mmCIF file with all atom_site columns, all heavy atoms in Angstrom:
data_model
loop_
_atom_site.group_PDB
_atom_site.id
_atom_site.type_symbol
_atom_site.label_atom_id
_atom_site.label_alt_id
_atom_site.label_comp_id
_atom_site.label_asym_id
_atom_site.label_entity_id
_atom_site.label_seq_id
_atom_site.pdbx_PDB_ins_code
_atom_site.Cartn_x
_atom_site.Cartn_y
_atom_site.Cartn_z
_atom_site.occupancy
_atom_site.B_iso_or_equiv
_atom_site.pdbx_formal_charge
_atom_site.auth_seq_id
_atom_site.auth_comp_id
_atom_site.auth_asym_id
_atom_site.auth_atom_id
_atom_site.pdbx_PDB_model_num
ATOM   1  N  N   . TRP O 1 55  ? 43.924 -136.580 143.753 1.00 97.00 ? 114 TRP O N   1
ATOM   2  C  CA  . TRP O 1 55  ? 44.856 -135.949 142.805 1.00 97.00 ? 114 TRP O CA  1
ATOM   3  C  C   . TRP O 1 55  ? 46.301 -136.364 143.119 1.00 97.00 ? 114 TRP O C   1
ATOM   4  O  O   . TRP O 1 55  ? 47.024 -136.819 142.225 1.00 97.00 ? 114 TRP O O   1
ATOM   5  C  CB  . TRP O 1 55  ? 44.726 -134.425 142.835 1.00 97.00 ? 114 TRP O CB  1
ATOM   6  C  CG  . TRP O 1 55  ? 45.580 -133.781 141.763 1.00 97.00 ? 114 TRP O CG  1
ATOM   7  C  CD1 . TRP O 1 55  ? 45.177 -133.466 140.482 1.00 97.00 ? 114 TRP O CD1 1
ATOM   8  C  CD2 . TRP O 1 55  ? 46.986 -133.395 141.847 1.00 97.00 ? 114 TRP O CD2 1
ATOM   9  N  NE1 . TRP O 1 55  ? 46.235 -132.923 139.770 1.00 97.00 ? 114 TRP O NE1 1
ATOM   10 C  CE2 . TRP O 1 55  ? 47.357 -132.873 140.587 1.00 97.00 ? 114 TRP O CE2 1
ATOM   11 C  CE3 . TRP O 1 55  ? 47.930 -133.442 142.847 1.00 97.00 ? 114 TRP O CE3 1
ATOM   12 C  CZ2 . TRP O 1 55  ? 48.646 -132.390 140.322 1.00 97.00 ? 114 TRP O CZ2 1
ATOM   13 C  CZ3 . TRP O 1 55  ? 49.207 -132.979 142.603 1.00 97.00 ? 114 TRP O CZ3 1
ATOM   14 C  CH2 . TRP O 1 55  ? 49.548 -132.448 141.359 1.00 97.00 ? 114 TRP O CH2 1
ATOM   15 N  N   . HIS O 1 59  ? 48.717 -138.402 140.694 1.00 98.00 ? 118 HIS O N   1
ATOM   16 C  CA  . HIS O 1 59  ? 49.871 -137.609 140.282 1.00 98.00 ? 118 HIS O CA  1
ATOM   17 C  C   . HIS O 1 59  ? 51.195 -138.351 140.530 1.00 98.00 ? 118 HIS O C   1
ATOM   18 O  O   . HIS O 1 59  ? 52.079 -138.311 139.658 1.00 98.00 ? 118 HIS O O   1
ATOM   19 C  CB  . HIS O 1 59  ? 49.857 -136.272 141.052 1.00 98.00 ? 118 HIS O CB  1
ATOM   20 C  CG  . HIS O 1 59  ? 51.124 -135.504 141.000 1.00 98.00 ? 118 HIS O CG  1
ATOM   21 N  ND1 . HIS O 1 59  ? 51.512 -134.747 139.910 1.00 98.00 ? 118 HIS O ND1 1
ATOM   22 C  CD2 . HIS O 1 59  ? 52.113 -135.344 141.919 1.00 98.00 ? 118 HIS O CD2 1
ATOM   23 C  CE1 . HIS O 1 59  ? 52.671 -134.180 140.156 1.00 98.00 ? 118 HIS O CE1 1
ATOM   24 N  NE2 . HIS O 1 59  ? 53.073 -134.523 141.362 1.00 98.00 ? 118 HIS O NE2 1
ATOM   25 N  N   . VAL O 1 60  ? 51.308 -139.067 141.636 1.00 98.00 ? 119 VAL O N   1
ATOM   26 C  CA  . VAL O 1 60  ? 52.569 -139.802 141.887 1.00 98.00 ? 119 VAL O CA  1
ATOM   27 C  C   . VAL O 1 60  ? 52.758 -140.887 140.800 1.00 98.00 ? 119 VAL O C   1
ATOM   28 O  O   . VAL O 1 60  ? 53.879 -141.151 140.358 1.00 98.00 ? 119 VAL O O   1
ATOM   29 C  CB  . VAL O 1 60  ? 52.717 -140.383 143.282 1.00 98.00 ? 119 VAL O CB  1
ATOM   30 C  CG1 . VAL O 1 60  ? 52.705 -139.303 144.353 1.00 98.00 ? 119 VAL O CG1 1
ATOM   31 C  CG2 . VAL O 1 60  ? 51.680 -141.417 143.597 1.00 98.00 ? 119 VAL O CG2 1
ATOM   32 N  N   . TYR O 1 63  ? 53.733 -139.129 137.480 1.00 98.00 ? 122 TYR O N   1
ATOM   33 C  CA  . TYR O 1 63  ? 55.171 -138.694 137.564 1.00 98.00 ? 122 TYR O CA  1
ATOM   34 C  C   . TYR O 1 63  ? 56.096 -139.919 137.307 1.00 98.00 ? 122 TYR O C   1
ATOM   35 O  O   . TYR O 1 63  ? 57.063 -139.807 136.596 1.00 98.00 ? 122 TYR O O   1
ATOM   36 C  CB  . TYR O 1 63  ? 55.373 -138.119 138.947 1.00 98.00 ? 122 TYR O CB  1
ATOM   37 C  CG  . TYR O 1 63  ? 56.708 -137.412 139.197 1.00 98.00 ? 122 TYR O CG  1
ATOM   38 C  CD1 . TYR O 1 63  ? 56.843 -136.049 138.906 1.00 98.00 ? 122 TYR O CD1 1
ATOM   39 C  CD2 . TYR O 1 63  ? 57.781 -138.077 139.766 1.00 98.00 ? 122 TYR O CD2 1
ATOM   40 C  CE1 . TYR O 1 63  ? 58.040 -135.409 139.172 1.00 98.00 ? 122 TYR O CE1 1
ATOM   41 C  CE2 . TYR O 1 63  ? 58.957 -137.411 140.028 1.00 98.00 ? 122 TYR O CE2 1
ATOM   42 C  CZ  . TYR O 1 63  ? 59.085 -136.063 139.743 1.00 98.00 ? 122 TYR O CZ  1
ATOM   43 O  OH  . TYR O 1 63  ? 60.264 -135.420 140.014 1.00 98.00 ? 122 TYR O OH  1
ATOM   44 N  N   . ALA O 1 88  ? 51.406 -130.355 137.720 1.00 92.00 ? 147 ALA O N   1
ATOM   45 C  CA  . ALA O 1 88  ? 51.194 -129.445 138.852 1.00 92.00 ? 147 ALA O CA  1
ATOM   46 C  C   . ALA O 1 88  ? 51.226 -127.960 138.406 1.00 92.00 ? 147 ALA O C   1
ATOM   47 O  O   . ALA O 1 88  ? 50.792 -127.090 139.156 1.00 92.00 ? 147 ALA O O   1
ATOM   48 C  CB  . ALA O 1 88  ? 52.285 -129.681 139.894 1.00 92.00 ? 147 ALA O CB  1
ATOM   49 N  N   . HIS O 1 146 ? 59.803 -138.366 145.492 1.00 98.00 ? 205 HIS O N   1
ATOM   50 C  CA  . HIS O 1 146 ? 58.615 -137.582 145.078 1.00 98.00 ? 205 HIS O CA  1
ATOM   51 C  C   . HIS O 1 146 ? 57.355 -138.143 145.748 1.00 98.00 ? 205 HIS O C   1
ATOM   52 O  O   . HIS O 1 146 ? 56.533 -137.388 146.281 1.00 98.00 ? 205 HIS O O   1
ATOM   53 C  CB  . HIS O 1 146 ? 58.482 -137.627 143.551 1.00 98.00 ? 205 HIS O CB  1
ATOM   54 C  CG  . HIS O 1 146 ? 57.304 -136.888 143.047 1.00 98.00 ? 205 HIS O CG  1
ATOM   55 N  ND1 . HIS O 1 146 ? 56.186 -137.532 142.532 1.00 98.00 ? 205 HIS O ND1 1
ATOM   56 C  CD2 . HIS O 1 146 ? 57.032 -135.570 142.956 1.00 98.00 ? 205 HIS O CD2 1
ATOM   57 C  CE1 . HIS O 1 146 ? 55.287 -136.629 142.171 1.00 98.00 ? 205 HIS O CE1 1
ATOM   58 N  NE2 . HIS O 1 146 ? 55.778 -135.420 142.395 1.00 98.00 ? 205 HIS O NE2 1
ATOM   59 N  N   . GLN O 1 149 ? 57.255 -137.249 149.350 1.00 98.00 ? 208 GLN O N   1
ATOM   60 C  CA  . GLN O 1 149 ? 56.921 -135.833 149.534 1.00 98.00 ? 208 GLN O CA  1
ATOM   61 C  C   . GLN O 1 149 ? 55.424 -135.641 149.438 1.00 98.00 ? 208 GLN O C   1
ATOM   62 O  O   . GLN O 1 149 ? 54.826 -134.897 150.221 1.00 98.00 ? 208 GLN O O   1
ATOM   63 C  CB  . GLN O 1 149 ? 57.642 -134.987 148.501 1.00 98.00 ? 208 GLN O CB  1
ATOM   64 C  CG  . GLN O 1 149 ? 59.144 -134.858 148.796 1.00 98.00 ? 208 GLN O CG  1
ATOM   65 C  CD  . GLN O 1 149 ? 59.903 -134.157 147.698 1.00 98.00 ? 208 GLN O CD  1
ATOM   66 O  OE1 . GLN O 1 149 ? 59.350 -133.721 146.712 1.00 98.00 ? 208 GLN O OE1 1
ATOM   67 N  NE2 . GLN O 1 149 ? 61.210 -134.030 147.879 1.00 98.00 ? 208 GLN O NE2 1
ATOM   68 N  N   . HIS O 1 150 ? 54.812 -136.297 148.448 1.00 98.00 ? 209 HIS O N   1
ATOM   69 C  CA  . HIS O 1 150 ? 53.360 -136.189 148.311 1.00 98.00 ? 209 HIS O CA  1
ATOM   70 C  C   . HIS O 1 150 ? 52.631 -136.864 149.471 1.00 98.00 ? 209 HIS O C   1
ATOM   71 O  O   . HIS O 1 150 ? 51.567 -136.416 149.886 1.00 98.00 ? 209 HIS O O   1
ATOM   72 C  CB  . HIS O 1 150 ? 52.868 -136.675 146.959 1.00 98.00 ? 209 HIS O CB  1
ATOM   73 C  CG  . HIS O 1 150 ? 53.005 -135.621 145.922 1.00 98.00 ? 209 HIS O CG  1
ATOM   74 N  ND1 . HIS O 1 150 ? 52.061 -134.657 145.703 1.00 98.00 ? 209 HIS O ND1 1
ATOM   75 C  CD2 . HIS O 1 150 ? 54.034 -135.367 145.066 1.00 98.00 ? 209 HIS O CD2 1
ATOM   76 C  CE1 . HIS O 1 150 ? 52.459 -133.840 144.763 1.00 98.00 ? 209 HIS O CE1 1
ATOM   77 N  NE2 . HIS O 1 150 ? 53.669 -134.231 144.341 1.00 98.00 ? 209 HIS O NE2 1
ATOM   78 N  N   . TYR O 1 381 ? 64.934 -131.552 135.419 1.00 96.00 ? 440 TYR O N   1
ATOM   79 C  CA  . TYR O 1 381 ? 63.919 -130.668 134.786 1.00 96.00 ? 440 TYR O CA  1
ATOM   80 C  C   . TYR O 1 381 ? 63.772 -129.393 135.603 1.00 96.00 ? 440 TYR O C   1
ATOM   81 O  O   . TYR O 1 381 ? 64.030 -129.367 136.813 1.00 96.00 ? 440 TYR O O   1
ATOM   82 C  CB  . TYR O 1 381 ? 62.586 -131.419 134.648 1.00 96.00 ? 440 TYR O CB  1
ATOM   83 C  CG  . TYR O 1 381 ? 61.870 -131.763 135.916 1.00 96.00 ? 440 TYR O CG  1
ATOM   84 C  CD1 . TYR O 1 381 ? 60.655 -131.177 136.228 1.00 96.00 ? 440 TYR O CD1 1
ATOM   85 C  CD2 . TYR O 1 381 ? 62.403 -132.657 136.845 1.00 96.00 ? 440 TYR O CD2 1
ATOM   86 C  CE1 . TYR O 1 381 ? 59.977 -131.489 137.409 1.00 96.00 ? 440 TYR O CE1 1
ATOM   87 C  CE2 . TYR O 1 381 ? 61.739 -132.987 138.029 1.00 96.00 ? 440 TYR O CE2 1
ATOM   88 C  CZ  . TYR O 1 381 ? 60.508 -132.382 138.304 1.00 96.00 ? 440 TYR O CZ  1
ATOM   89 O  OH  . TYR O 1 381 ? 59.842 -132.704 139.460 1.00 96.00 ? 440 TYR O OH  1
HETATM 90 FE FE1 . LIG W 2 .   ? 54.640 -133.646 142.526 1.00 97.31 ? 661 LIG W FE1 1
#
Side-chain angles (χ1 to χ4, degrees):
W114 185 90
H118 166 78
V119 298
Y122 189 88
H205 179 253
Q208 288 173 0
H209 277 275
Y440 67 114

